[in-house]
Amino acid sequence: MKPVNVGICGLGTVGAGTFNVLQRNLHDIARRAGRPVRIVHIGARRDNPACQLDGVKVSRDIFAVVRDPDVHIVVELIGGMTVAKELVLAAIAAGKDVVTANKALIAVHGNEIFAAAEANNVVVAYEAAVAGGIPIIKAIREGLVANHIQSLAGIINGTGNFILTEMSEKGRAFADVLAEAQALGYAEADPAFDVEGIDAAHKLTILASNAFGIPLQFSKVYTEGITEITSEDVQFAEELGYRIKHLGLARRTEEGVELRVHPTLIPAKRLIANVNGVMNAVLVFGDAVGPTMYYGQGAGAEATASAVIADIVDIARDIDSPGLVPHLGFSVETTDLPVLPAEAMVTAYYLRISVKDEVGQMAKIAETLSMHGINMEAIIQKEAPEGELLVPLILLTQPVREKAMNAAILSIEALPAVTEKVVRIRVERLDS
Amino acid sequence: MKPVNVGICGLGTVGAGTFNVLQRNLHDIARRAGRPVRIVHIGARRDNPACQLDGVKVSRDIFAVVRDPDVHIVVELIGGMTVAKELVLAAIAAGKDVVTANKALIAVHGNEIFAAAEANNVVVAYEAAVAGGIPIIKAIREGLVANHIQSLAGIINGTGNFILTEMSEKGRAFADVLAEAQALGYAEADPAFDVEGIDAAHKLTILASNAFGIPLQFSKVYTEGITEITSEDVQFAEELGYRIKHLGLARRTEEGVELRVHPTLIPAKRLIANVNGVMNAVLVFGDAVGPTMYYGQGAGAEATASAVIADIVDIARDIDSPGLVPHLGFSVETTDLPVLPAEAMVTAYYLRISVKDEVGQMAKIAETLSMHGINMEAIIQKEAPEGELLVPLILLTQPVREKAMNAAILSIEALPAVTEKVVRIRVERLDS
């Protein structure tokens, strides 16, 4: 199929991330989009050492990308409101589809931009504007399309959540954590957008319009930041069974819609109360589906690029033909990646071994495991329950191939002190 | 715009849910789909008292729906494999798009069904087949399309998770909780599909193909159930800092793909370890986006209907024109739902009041709140810190209109014993 030609304006963090992910996953993306996605023009005031730009046309004037007849989709990643708005409107006027990650631009000028796009029969996509890599716009307006949405609540500013998490987990003071966040590069040098809730209000504005079918109304969001939260309040909240999170909340009531951003006590047992550090999450209540939640990185070069590229592919799938998504996600041939037999799988194990309560048994079992190349991470050895001769021995192993574990268990079960079958349950850290 | 005509085959739990949600949210769904979605024909062996079928054509022969020239989309909700497969293939042969919630059918016969669909240029959509109302298929093949997916892990059988949650939280035995789950209607009378992992293996098969671009290979999933898990193992796992969950896991390795369903120890601090009861969640690791997680109800009439209707609307949006999703999710006019001013918002409050350490102050504050119609839920009264004259008084109120709270706080701050500003943080239960 014919490639779709993309022009990227802006080669900062997100621009570089988008460029690099599109290059790295070229083949997968083409199989999923049904056509190659090709970067044909970059507009950037300067190159970014993170990107290998060989063979790509680069202009210092970003408007050259909009004027380029080869460019089908203009990706706006310059940020800010003035030039970005001009650029997006120029792209629309030139009949190009637009993808942007610019939440301020959409929240404040979205109504005007979308009207222009509809008049020119082009698309302006903005998944990356809210909650980084989490496909929350798609979830609300496609995945939950059947629902009368009642409310939504989101942790949609990673810096704010990092600060509150540190205050809660380590009893640190606000100013102290903010300074660290700035040093780590999470917070802007001027952190007002993060800690005063403006960034969250931008995102909430966009979420609420998609949930309720109302125009974008950024100026009507009640916005309160986290600058007044003290570690004292965090502690009292814990005592009462709550966590303090900076939430964006949108709720339908009989009278209208509440749009608000403020620090909020939420019951500690709620899943969203356990979303910590820089992570984002959005909880949505629909009348049919009930509660659903979406969790992931709300910022970062490649997480945001993930959403930018999803928008590009949505547009690419729709060119020439209806936007069919391949039945199993990938078009044309499927790969010949084999499914492994159970013996080839690698995982850590929990083992519970009932052993006769005699000296030296633990050593024998450890030796057996070691012979099969299996290392231990943790051991619990219990006293024999009153009147019983067997002691439960609990082991956590490091990851090992299933085949080795099968052999080790056979050897352990052959030991004279082991008279019952070894109980084994697999262990996964789920950290990658 | 011209309506899209839907025929529903099967009027059991999910069929009735789909019918009812489509009727109830008719207007919202039409605004989002860009055209009305109309049920024109129902095929069911018997009526369902949960549905008001007046004015809808009903056939006792479900194949009559497939033969009906008015029907554009056939929705297969009869379950099972034999007749369901015939029905879906007949619909495809008749040139109709198909929506199904049938995970067994897709996991086992999907390769054949999709080949037939592609040959006939129709769509077979199956969002509802995995994790009920959670839009996980859409997330993987559209939202995360930029990513080389490394692994995914899901709690994708609600009954199994309910059983393990009860064992973990209440120390109950497996057989005991299973009996309760059956009584509550969560588990089938023959619970093998749930507790032996077959249902989870069906869903994992579908997830893995979409994540990795491999054909459906149900027979190659290593599958282990939860019937051997004892409360003893649950307790030992807790001691080690883990929870036991029944996971479907798919992971790309250098050699191939691991596909496995088995009980798994996972670190208790992971968000997915805290997904309890009948809820489902799927954690996906992409190379660009990092970890993302999707949470919600994995079963139930209307939660599943939510996914069925999302598929119908995806197809409806694509008829005649590229499948444009409206910029703010809803087409044509936006509603005039007003955004409420801050004073009209209703929320509960946490108040921290610094009070002079004198008798009777608490009573005065309680009286003031009561005068403004504000009820209390909880109180913490602390001793004055050494050498300080002010005592912190912490109150949690019931939900109240912001305006009343503003007035109450002014009155409290006017009390002689209150010399500092009242600290207030809003409280939300986030349970609806």
Side-chain angles (χ1 to χ4, degrees), chain A residues 385-423:
Chain A
E386 193 63 31
E388 292 200 22
L389 297 172
L390 296 179
V391 196
L393 176 68
I394 316 297
L395 302 175
L396 279 193
T397 76
Q398 288 183 359
V400 55
R401 199 169 287 268
E402 180 109 349
K403 190 172 181 176
M405 181 55 77
N406 290 345
I409 286 176
L410 281 180
S411 305
I412 290 171
E413 288 175 345
L415 293 172
V418 177
T419 55
E420 296 191 356
K421 267 180 73 76
V422 173
V423 171

mmCIF file of all heavy atoms in Angstrom, chain A residues 385-423:
data_model
loop_
_atom_site.group_PDB
_atom_site.id
_atom_site.type_symbol
_atom_site.label_atom_id
_atom_site.label_comp_id
_atom_site.label_asym_id
_atom_site.label_seq_id
_atom_site.Cartn_x
_atom_site.Cartn_y
_atom_site.Cartn_z
ATOM 1 N N PRO A 385 4.020 -28.034 63.137
ATOM 2 C CA PRO A 385 2.818 -27.839 63.946
ATOM 3 C C PRO A 385 2.766 -28.927 65.025
ATOM 4 O O PRO A 385 3.226 -30.056 64.798
ATOM 5 C CB PRO A 385 1.676 -28.015 62.942
ATOM 6 C CG PRO A 385 2.293 -27.819 61.586
ATOM 7 C CD PRO A 385 3.723 -28.250 61.719
ATOM 8 N N GLU A 386 2.226 -28.573 66.201
ATOM 9 C CA GLU A 386 2.089 -29.482 67.359
ATOM 10 C C GLU A 386 1.696 -30.896 66.907
ATOM 11 O O GLU A 386 0.686 -31.070 66.214
ATOM 12 C CB GLU A 386 1.005 -28.885 68.286
ATOM 13 C CG GLU A 386 0.924 -29.482 69.677
ATOM 14 C CD GLU A 386 2.202 -29.260 70.496
ATOM 15 O OE1 GLU A 386 2.877 -28.214 70.273
ATOM 16 O OE2 GLU A 386 2.542 -30.127 71.316
ATOM 17 N N GLY A 387 2.509 -31.877 67.284
ATOM 18 C CA GLY A 387 2.132 -33.277 67.028
ATOM 19 C C GLY A 387 2.362 -33.730 65.598
ATOM 20 O O GLY A 387 2.016 -34.854 65.242
ATOM 21 N N GLU A 388 2.941 -32.881 64.756
ATOM 22 C CA GLU A 388 3.199 -33.319 63.378
ATOM 23 C C GLU A 388 4.690 -33.509 63.154
ATOM 24 O O GLU A 388 5.503 -32.826 63.767
ATOM 25 C CB GLU A 388 2.640 -32.290 62.386
ATOM 26 C CG GLU A 388 1.121 -32.250 62.411
ATOM 27 C CD GLU A 388 0.555 -31.642 61.148
ATOM 28 O OE1 GLU A 388 1.262 -31.632 60.122
ATOM 29 O OE2 GLU A 388 -0.593 -31.202 61.195
ATOM 30 N N LEU A 389 4.995 -34.407 62.249
ATOM 31 C CA LEU A 389 6.404 -34.719 62.013
ATOM 32 C C LEU A 389 6.944 -33.950 60.809
ATOM 33 O O LEU A 389 8.149 -33.912 60.593
ATOM 34 C CB LEU A 389 6.568 -36.220 61.755
ATOM 35 C CG LEU A 389 6.160 -37.081 62.958
ATOM 36 C CD1 LEU A 389 6.163 -38.563 62.590
ATOM 37 C CD2 LEU A 389 7.137 -36.815 64.116
ATOM 38 N N LEU A 390 6.047 -33.367 60.007
ATOM 39 C CA LEU A 390 6.494 -32.689 58.792
ATOM 40 C C LEU A 390 6.537 -31.181 59.003
ATOM 41 O O LEU A 390 5.612 -30.596 59.561
ATOM 42 C CB LEU A 390 5.558 -33.027 57.632
ATOM 43 C CG LEU A 390 5.540 -34.511 57.211
ATOM 44 C CD1 LEU A 390 4.554 -34.729 56.082
ATOM 45 C CD2 LEU A 390 6.944 -34.955 56.792
ATOM 46 N N VAL A 391 7.608 -30.567 58.549
ATOM 47 C CA VAL A 391 7.773 -29.119 58.654
ATOM 48 C C VAL A 391 7.554 -28.515 57.262
ATOM 49 O O VAL A 391 8.127 -29.026 56.295
ATOM 50 C CB VAL A 391 9.216 -28.752 59.061
ATOM 51 C CG1 VAL A 391 9.291 -27.319 59.542
ATOM 52 C CG2 VAL A 391 9.741 -29.725 60.066
ATOM 53 N N PRO A 392 6.760 -27.445 57.164
ATOM 54 C CA PRO A 392 6.694 -26.805 55.844
ATOM 55 C C PRO A 392 7.927 -25.919 55.617
ATOM 56 O O PRO A 392 8.300 -25.126 56.468
ATOM 57 C CB PRO A 392 5.418 -25.962 55.917
ATOM 58 C CG PRO A 392 5.170 -25.723 57.363
ATOM 59 C CD PRO A 392 5.853 -26.817 58.137
ATOM 60 N N LEU A 393 8.529 -26.123 54.458
ATOM 61 C CA LEU A 393 9.688 -25.321 54.068
ATOM 62 C C LEU A 393 9.279 -24.535 52.822
ATOM 63 O O LEU A 393 8.864 -25.137 51.825
ATOM 64 C CB LEU A 393 10.847 -26.270 53.762
ATOM 65 C CG LEU A 393 12.136 -25.637 53.239
ATOM 66 C CD1 LEU A 393 12.796 -24.799 54.328
ATOM 67 C CD2 LEU A 393 13.082 -26.735 52.762
ATOM 68 N N ILE A 394 9.367 -23.197 52.914
ATOM 69 C CA ILE A 394 8.925 -22.365 51.802
ATOM 70 C C ILE A 394 10.133 -21.723 51.146
ATOM 71 O O ILE A 394 10.943 -21.100 51.825
ATOM 72 C CB ILE A 394 7.997 -21.221 52.290
ATOM 73 C CG1 ILE A 394 6.977 -21.704 53.308
ATOM 74 C CG2 ILE A 394 7.350 -20.496 51.115
ATOM 75 C CD1 ILE A 394 6.019 -22.695 52.799
ATOM 76 N N LEU A 395 10.235 -21.868 49.837
ATOM 77 C CA LEU A 395 11.365 -21.284 49.111
ATOM 78 C C LEU A 395 10.865 -20.388 47.990
ATOM 79 O O LEU A 395 9.894 -20.723 47.316
ATOM 80 C CB LEU A 395 12.203 -22.396 48.461
ATOM 81 C CG LEU A 395 12.767 -23.459 49.391
ATOM 82 C CD1 LEU A 395 13.455 -24.540 48.560
ATOM 83 C CD2 LEU A 395 13.754 -22.825 50.354
ATOM 84 N N LEU A 396 11.522 -19.257 47.809
ATOM 85 C CA LEU A 396 11.327 -18.472 46.576
ATOM 86 C C LEU A 396 12.601 -18.596 45.776
ATOM 87 O O LEU A 396 13.680 -18.336 46.285
ATOM 88 C CB LEU A 396 11.100 -16.990 46.882
ATOM 89 C CG LEU A 396 9.727 -16.502 47.301
ATOM 90 C CD1 LEU A 396 9.696 -14.982 47.222
ATOM 91 C CD2 LEU A 396 8.620 -17.092 46.454
ATOM 92 N N THR A 397 12.478 -18.980 44.516
ATOM 93 C CA THR A 397 13.679 -19.124 43.688
ATOM 94 C C THR A 397 13.843 -17.924 42.766
ATOM 95 O O THR A 397 12.920 -17.138 42.581
ATOM 96 C CB THR A 397 13.611 -20.376 42.802
ATOM 97 O OG1 THR A 397 12.715 -20.117 41.715
ATOM 98 C CG2 THR A 397 13.136 -21.586 43.580
ATOM 99 N N GLN A 398 15.003 -17.827 42.173
ATOM 100 C CA GLN A 398 15.205 -16.881 41.076
ATOM 101 C C GLN A 398 14.628 -17.495 39.797
ATOM 102 O O GLN A 398 14.303 -18.671 39.776
ATOM 103 C CB GLN A 398 16.693 -16.575 40.925
ATOM 104 C CG GLN A 398 17.178 -15.716 42.079
ATOM 105 C CD GLN A 398 18.636 -15.323 41.946
ATOM 106 O OE1 GLN A 398 19.319 -15.698 40.994
ATOM 107 N NE2 GLN A 398 19.131 -14.577 42.916
ATOM 108 N N PRO A 399 14.467 -16.696 38.739
ATOM 109 C CA PRO A 399 13.892 -17.252 37.519
ATOM 110 C C PRO A 399 14.745 -18.398 36.977
ATOM 111 O O PRO A 399 15.972 -18.363 37.035
ATOM 112 C CB PRO A 399 13.905 -16.074 36.540
ATOM 113 C CG PRO A 399 13.873 -14.870 37.416
ATOM 114 C CD PRO A 399 14.676 -15.236 38.631
ATOM 115 N N VAL A 400 14.054 -19.409 36.469
ATOM 116 C CA VAL A 400 14.733 -20.613 36.014
ATOM 117 C C VAL A 400 13.886 -21.221 34.896
ATOM 118 O O VAL A 400 12.693 -20.974 34.816
ATOM 119 C CB VAL A 400 14.893 -21.591 37.213
ATOM 120 C CG1 VAL A 400 13.545 -21.872 37.867
ATOM 121 C CG2 VAL A 400 15.533 -22.895 36.798
ATOM 122 N N ARG A 401 14.509 -21.994 34.053
ATOM 123 C CA ARG A 401 13.754 -22.639 32.997
ATOM 124 C C ARG A 401 12.910 -23.771 33.597
ATOM 125 O O ARG A 401 13.366 -24.509 34.451
ATOM 126 C CB ARG A 401 14.709 -23.171 31.920
ATOM 127 C CG ARG A 401 14.053 -23.443 30.594
ATOM 128 C CD ARG A 401 15.078 -23.716 29.511
ATOM 129 N NE ARG A 401 15.782 -22.513 29.101
ATOM 130 C CZ ARG A 401 15.412 -21.723 28.086
ATOM 131 N NH1 ARG A 401 14.340 -22.022 27.382
ATOM 132 N NH2 ARG A 401 16.096 -20.649 27.779
ATOM 133 N N GLU A 402 11.684 -23.871 33.135
ATOM 134 C CA GLU A 402 10.742 -24.857 33.653
ATOM 135 C C GLU A 402 11.321 -26.284 33.642
ATOM 136 O O GLU A 402 11.134 -27.054 34.576
ATOM 137 C CB GLU A 402 9.454 -24.804 32.809
ATOM 138 C CG GLU A 402 8.386 -25.771 33.242
ATOM 139 C CD GLU A 402 7.197 -25.107 33.904
ATOM 140 O OE1 GLU A 402 7.279 -23.890 34.221
ATOM 141 O OE2 GLU A 402 6.204 -25.788 34.131
ATOM 142 N N LYS A 403 12.057 -26.593 32.602
ATOM 143 C CA LYS A 403 12.641 -27.938 32.473
ATOM 144 C C LYS A 403 13.570 -28.248 33.652
ATOM 145 O O LYS A 403 13.520 -29.342 34.225
ATOM 146 C CB LYS A 403 13.432 -28.006 31.165
ATOM 147 C CG LYS A 403 13.890 -29.381 30.789
ATOM 148 C CD LYS A 403 14.493 -29.388 29.387
ATOM 149 C CE LYS A 403 14.934 -30.798 29.019
ATOM 150 N NZ LYS A 403 15.423 -30.826 27.630
ATOM 151 N N ALA A 404 14.392 -27.254 34.034
ATOM 152 C CA ALA A 404 15.312 -27.456 35.158
ATOM 153 C C ALA A 404 14.520 -27.646 36.444
ATOM 154 O O ALA A 404 14.859 -28.488 37.298
ATOM 155 C CB ALA A 404 16.257 -26.261 35.281
ATOM 156 N N MET A 405 13.449 -26.853 36.594
ATOM 157 C CA MET A 405 12.636 -26.970 37.807
ATOM 158 C C MET A 405 11.954 -28.326 37.878
ATOM 159 O O MET A 405 11.924 -28.955 38.936
ATOM 160 C CB MET A 405 11.613 -25.831 37.839
ATOM 161 C CG MET A 405 10.728 -25.850 39.066
ATOM 162 S SD MET A 405 11.654 -25.865 40.640
ATOM 163 C CE MET A 405 12.159 -24.155 40.761
ATOM 164 N N ASN A 406 11.446 -28.811 36.752
ATOM 165 C CA ASN A 406 10.815 -30.135 36.745
ATOM 166 C C ASN A 406 11.792 -31.195 37.241
ATOM 167 O O ASN A 406 11.456 -32.036 38.076
ATOM 168 C CB ASN A 406 10.346 -30.499 35.330
ATOM 169 C CG ASN A 406 9.165 -29.648 34.892
ATOM 170 O OD1 ASN A 406 8.525 -28.997 35.726
ATOM 171 N ND2 ASN A 406 8.881 -29.645 33.600
ATOM 172 N N ALA A 407 13.030 -31.121 36.736
ATOM 173 C CA ALA A 407 14.044 -32.101 37.133
ATOM 174 C C ALA A 407 14.388 -31.958 38.614
ATOM 175 O O ALA A 407 14.495 -32.953 39.357
ATOM 176 C CB ALA A 407 15.291 -31.911 36.276
ATOM 177 N N ALA A 408 14.512 -30.702 39.074
ATOM 178 C CA ALA A 408 14.872 -30.466 40.479
ATOM 179 C C ALA A 408 13.783 -31.007 41.400
ATOM 180 O O ALA A 408 14.070 -31.628 42.430
ATOM 181 C CB ALA A 408 15.089 -28.979 40.722
ATOM 182 N N ILE A 409 12.538 -30.791 41.023
ATOM 183 C CA ILE A 409 11.439 -31.252 41.880
ATOM 184 C C ILE A 409 11.428 -32.782 41.939
ATOM 185 O O ILE A 409 11.249 -33.372 43.014
ATOM 186 C CB ILE A 409 10.089 -30.676 41.398
ATOM 187 C CG1 ILE A 409 10.039 -29.189 41.767
ATOM 188 C CG2 ILE A 409 8.913 -31.421 42.035
ATOM 189 C CD1 ILE A 409 8.810 -28.465 41.279
ATOM 190 N N LEU A 410 11.684 -33.424 40.832
ATOM 191 C CA LEU A 410 11.779 -34.894 40.863
ATOM 192 C C LEU A 410 12.865 -35.343 41.827
ATOM 193 O O LEU A 410 12.662 -36.255 42.631
ATOM 194 C CB LEU A 410 12.071 -35.440 39.454
ATOM 195 C CG LEU A 410 10.871 -35.522 38.511
ATOM 196 C CD1 LEU A 410 11.307 -36.070 37.143
ATOM 197 C CD2 LEU A 410 9.766 -36.424 39.105
ATOM 198 N N SER A 411 14.014 -34.675 41.788
ATOM 199 C CA SER A 411 15.109 -35.042 42.703
ATOM 200 C C SER A 411 14.721 -34.795 44.155
ATOM 201 O O SER A 411 15.039 -35.592 45.044
ATOM 202 C CB SER A 411 16.378 -34.245 42.384
ATOM 203 O OG SER A 411 16.733 -34.402 41.040
ATOM 204 N N ILE A 412 14.064 -33.660 44.406
ATOM 205 C CA ILE A 412 13.676 -33.343 45.788
ATOM 206 C C ILE A 412 12.659 -34.372 46.289
ATOM 207 O O ILE A 412 12.748 -34.861 47.414
ATOM 208 C CB ILE A 412 13.107 -31.911 45.885
ATOM 209 C CG1 ILE A 412 14.237 -30.897 45.662
ATOM 210 C CG2 ILE A 412 12.443 -31.668 47.243
ATOM 211 C CD1 ILE A 412 13.769 -29.464 45.508
ATOM 212 N N GLU A 413 11.715 -34.727 45.435
ATOM 213 C CA GLU A 413 10.698 -35.698 45.857
ATOM 214 C C GLU A 413 11.290 -37.095 46.083
ATOM 215 O O GLU A 413 10.681 -37.919 46.755
ATOM 216 C CB GLU A 413 9.544 -35.736 44.847
ATOM 217 C CG GLU A 413 8.685 -34.464 44.926
ATOM 218 C CD GLU A 413 7.587 -34.369 43.860
ATOM 219 O OE1 GLU A 413 7.647 -35.123 42.890
ATOM 220 O OE2 GLU A 413 6.682 -33.526 44.017
ATOM 221 N N ALA A 414 12.488 -37.307 45.532
ATOM 222 C CA ALA A 414 13.158 -38.600 45.750
ATOM 223 C C ALA A 414 13.943 -38.644 47.056
ATOM 224 O O ALA A 414 14.415 -39.722 47.474
ATOM 225 C CB ALA A 414 14.097 -38.902 44.579
ATOM 226 N N LEU A 415 14.086 -37.481 47.723
ATOM 227 C CA LEU A 415 14.823 -37.467 48.993
ATOM 228 C C LEU A 415 14.018 -38.229 50.048
ATOM 229 O O LEU A 415 12.794 -38.100 50.102
ATOM 230 C CB LEU A 415 15.068 -36.034 49.467
ATOM 231 C CG LEU A 415 16.016 -35.168 48.624
ATOM 232 C CD1 LEU A 415 16.002 -33.729 49.127
ATOM 233 C CD2 LEU A 415 17.430 -35.734 48.649
ATOM 234 N N PRO A 416 14.692 -38.987 50.888
ATOM 235 C CA PRO A 416 13.954 -39.799 51.891
ATOM 236 C C PRO A 416 13.131 -38.938 52.856
ATOM 237 O O PRO A 416 12.065 -39.350 53.295
ATOM 238 C CB PRO A 416 15.063 -40.527 52.647
ATOM 239 C CG PRO A 416 16.304 -40.352 51.849
ATOM 240 C CD PRO A 416 16.135 -39.198 50.925
ATOM 241 N N ALA A 417 13.593 -37.723 53.132
ATOM 242 C CA ALA A 417 12.881 -36.883 54.104
ATOM 243 C C ALA A 417 11.663 -36.194 53.497
ATOM 244 O O ALA A 417 10.894 -35.551 54.204
ATOM 245 C CB ALA A 417 13.839 -35.837 54.687
ATOM 246 N N VAL A 418 11.525 -36.300 52.197
ATOM 247 C CA VAL A 418 10.383 -35.645 51.530
ATOM 248 C C VAL A 418 9.385 -36.727 51.126
ATOM 249 O O VAL A 418 9.664 -37.545 50.258
ATOM 250 C CB VAL A 418 10.858 -34.845 50.299
ATOM 251 C CG1 VAL A 418 9.656 -34.226 49.574
ATOM 252 C CG2 VAL A 418 11.843 -33.760 50.720
ATOM 253 N N THR A 419 8.228 -36.705 51.779
ATOM 254 C CA THR A 419 7.279 -37.794 51.540
ATOM 255 C C THR A 419 6.024 -37.318 50.805
ATOM 256 O O THR A 419 5.204 -38.142 50.422
ATOM 257 C CB THR A 419 6.862 -38.432 52.873
ATOM 258 O OG1 THR A 419 6.360 -37.390 53.713
ATOM 259 C CG2 THR A 419 8.031 -39.106 53.553
ATOM 260 N N GLU A 420 5.886 -36.002 50.638
ATOM 261 C CA GLU A 420 4.705 -35.503 49.920
ATOM 262 C C GLU A 420 5.130 -34.783 48.651
ATOM 263 O O GLU A 420 6.287 -34.387 48.517
ATOM 264 C CB GLU A 420 3.920 -34.522 50.807
ATOM 265 C CG GLU A 420 3.352 -35.203 52.045
ATOM 266 C CD GLU A 420 2.370 -34.299 52.779
ATOM 267 O OE1 GLU A 420 2.192 -33.125 52.362
ATOM 268 O OE2 GLU A 420 1.777 -34.773 53.766
ATOM 269 N N LYS A 421 4.166 -34.604 47.763
ATOM 270 C CA LYS A 421 4.471 -33.873 46.533
ATOM 271 C C LYS A 421 4.866 -32.429 46.852
ATOM 272 O O LYS A 421 4.326 -31.805 47.772
ATOM 273 C CB LYS A 421 3.224 -33.832 45.638
ATOM 274 C CG LYS A 421 3.164 -34.975 44.619
ATOM 275 C CD LYS A 421 1.903 -34.882 43.763
ATOM 276 C CE LYS A 421 1.959 -33.746 42.755
ATOM 277 N NZ LYS A 421 2.833 -34.042 41.580
ATOM 278 N N VAL A 422 5.803 -31.896 46.128
ATOM 279 C CA VAL A 422 6.207 -30.502 46.290
ATOM 280 C C VAL A 422 5.133 -29.602 45.660
ATOM 281 O O VAL A 422 4.703 -29.851 44.533
ATOM 282 C CB VAL A 422 7.571 -30.248 45.603
ATOM 283 C CG1 VAL A 422 7.924 -28.770 45.606
ATOM 284 C CG2 VAL A 422 8.662 -31.083 46.289
ATOM 285 N N VAL A 423 4.687 -28.600 46.415
ATOM 286 C CA VAL A 423 3.733 -27.628 45.866
ATOM 287 C C VAL A 423 4.519 -26.527 45.182
ATOM 288 O O VAL A 423 5.457 -25.975 45.757
ATOM 289 C CB VAL A 423 2.863 -27.017 46.983
ATOM 290 C CG1 VAL A 423 2.041 -25.851 46.444
ATOM 291 C CG2 VAL A 423 1.964 -28.083 47.591
#
